[in-house]
Amino acid sequence: MSLHSLFNFAALCLSIILVILVEPPLLAFGVNRGSFGAIKSAAPPPPEQVGLCAAAVLVHGYKCQEFEVTTDDGYILSVQRIPEGRVGGGGDKRQPVLIQHGVLVDGMTWLLNPPEQNLPFILADNGFDVWIANTRGTRFSRRHANLDPAKPEYWNWSWDELVLHDLPATFGVVYSQTGQKIHYVGHSLGTLIALASFSEGRLVDKLKSAVLLSPIAYLSHMTTALGVLAAKSFVGEITTLFGVAEFNPKGEAVANFLKSLCANPGVDCYDLMAALTGKNCCLNGSTVENFLKSEPQSTSTKNMVHLAQNGMVSKFDYGNADFNVEHYGESKPPVYDLANIPHDLPLFLSYGGQDALSDERDVGLLLDALKFHDLDKLAVQFIQDYAHADFIMGVDAKDLVYNAVITFLRRYQ
């Protein structure tokens, strides 16, 4: 792995984990007090025991259905359907909307705010048929036809496989159940796999429009001065982390790395989080507390490495020309050419000025790749004060983002 990729991987891991694990005042690091983790409190049975519908949807008076779909490489994914709003209505042909979460979280993330503030319920109450995806490896999608999640073989995938297998499987179940083209809403990694898929002409025959919140395609401007320390510290832990196929933010290897980093003289992990991820402006304290109880979720270490390679949007780089030739027939991994996304596909992009993961300069590169897109089919929204998590948990996201999303979706019903 090159120094640049190592740097990006360190910064990516820290930025995503710290935005999840370091949100004052609900988390106690206590490096000198012998504790490192979330403050624990009494909780009901974990959602994985009862399912997402029972844990977070039915309790609010909405109908909800659980579906399972098996990808063509054997992963068994959980998908939830909220077919209508609390008061029903909307007719028999409600437009389906598929919602895809980002990395290190699952579908629960969309449902942590109160019903009047979270996107799935708002969409349902506005007449849409809402479907929630859960990526392989997360708690609701942690099964396989043959492989054991406790074994490394289960975790031998990156976001390439999400493009090739997970996204087509979830699109397939929605399309088969509704018989209608699909509106797609993705956040973070959910935008990357969509862009890559559409660039290869995948799924566009089943797609009505796409909404991309905090879009990530290029990650070349994610670095900060504090990242230098992160990269230096990461060198000592890279072997340990790469030896673990499952990248579990709650696991010992990751926790020890963060613990050692936060113990460095002069390093304030709260400041580090803000510097690496952007300071979320608009999160409710109780929602953050629910988030800390619910997340983070596992992904594969290979997926994290692939994300760190995104100076260009390309398939996984095996770091060796011979290995790349073995997998792709060429020495370098093939590029996903985003300019090949159909120019008449309706797209809505929303990004924030404080987001260090979806940095506005990198979004600028994405927009440049879309420069030949039909102007009347590309809507772009910029919110100066928003950072990465505000788009899914911000208390004012309904007013600033979701209302605009609904207006956009209705334009293409």
Side-chain angles (χ1 to χ4, degrees), residues 44-336:
E48 55 266 33
Q49 291 184 8
V50 297
L52 182 56
C53 280
V57 180
L58 296 175
V59 293
H60 293 293
Y62 291 81
K63 294 179 180 179
C64 190
Q65 300 169 280
E66 295 274 2
F67 289 82
E68 285 186 352
V69 58
T70 301
T71 66
D72 54 13
D73 60 345
Y75 289 81
I76 301 171
L77 310 180
S78 173
V79 182
Q80 289 75 38
R81 181 186 194 180
I82 307 172
E84 61 185 34
R86 268 192 288 207
V87 297
D92 295 330
K93 283 293 184 180
R94 298 164 65 90
Q95 290 289 314
V97 181
L98 175 61
I99 303 179
Q100 175 65 60
H101 61 80
V103 69
L104 296 178
V105 295
D106 63 5
M108 179 70 81
T109 304
W110 298 103
L111 297 162
L112 295 176
N113 268 348
E116 65 275 7
Q117 293 178 356
N118 77 57
L119 181 59
F121 291 159
I122 290 170
L123 287 171
D125 286 335
N126 277 274
F128 292 95
D129 180 2
V130 181
W131 296 74
I132 301 174
N134 297 274
T135 297
R136 63 178 66 188
T138 58
R139 67 186 135 186
F140 302 116
S141 299
R142 199 177 169 88
R143 292 189 294 142
H144 191 278
N146 302 303
L147 301 177
D148 182 351
K151 304 293 185 182
E153 292 79 11
Y154 176 92
W155 300 98
N156 184 23
W157 51 267
S158 78
W159 59 261
D160 281 334
E161 281 66 40
L162 306 186
V163 172
L164 287 172
H165 308 297
D166 284 30
L167 208 53
T170 52
F171 261 75
V173 70
V174 176
Y175 191 77
S176 67
Q177 290 290 319
T178 66
Q180 299 185 71
K181 288 190 174 184
I182 299 160
H183 295 293
Y184 178 88
V185 179
H187 175 256
S188 190
L189 178 63
T191 70
L192 174 60
I193 61 175
L195 289 165
S197 178
F198 305 157
S199 75
E200 295 190 329
R202 301 177 186 273
L203 305 176
V204 293
D205 60 324
K206 297 181 176 69
L207 185 66
K208 183 157 285 193
S209 72
V211 173
L212 310 176
L213 307 177
S214 295
I216 61 170
Y218 306 95
L219 294 172
S220 55
H221 292 96
M222 188 180 56
T223 58
T224 66
L226 287 172
V228 175
L229 174 60
K232 289 179 179 178
S233 300
F234 202 86
V235 171
E237 304 292 337
I238 190 84
T239 303
T240 301
L241 289 172
F242 277 10
V244 180
E246 176 182 0
F247 189 91
N248 181 1
K250 298 177 182 177
E252 184 177 359
V254 178
N256 286 342
F257 170 53
L258 290 176
K259 189 174 182 178
S260 64
L261 184 66
C262 292
N264 274 274
V267 175
D268 185 333
C269 282
Y270 294 96
D271 289 342
L272 183 61
M273 181 198 70
L276 286 173
T277 69
K279 181 62 178 174
N280 295 288
C281 70
C282 306
L283 304 186
N284 180 289
S286 62
T287 299
V288 173
E289 185 174 10
N290 289 334
F291 187 83
L292 292 172
K293 292 176 182 176
S294 175
E295 311 293 354
Q297 299 295 311
S298 292
T299 187
S300 71
T301 300
K302 184 176 180 180
N303 189 37
M304 296 297 287
V305 173
H306 193 182
L307 284 167
Q309 296 173 348
N310 269 25
M312 294 185 65
V313 188
S314 61
K315 296 183 186 293
F316 184 83
D317 188 347
Y318 286 87
N320 178 289
D322 292 336
F323 291 163
N324 283 333
V325 169
E326 180 182 342
H327 284 87
Y328 307 121
E330 49 190 297
S331 61
K332 293 183 178 180
V335 171
Y336 293 101

Side-chain angles (χ1 to χ4, degrees), residues 390-410:
D390 290 313
F391 286 90
I392 50 173
M393 295 187 294
V395 295
D396 55 358
K398 178 180 184 295
D399 295 328
L400 296 183
V401 183
Y402 303 160
N403 286 343
V405 167
I406 290 169
T407 298
F408 171 82
L409 296 180
R410 284 179 171 160

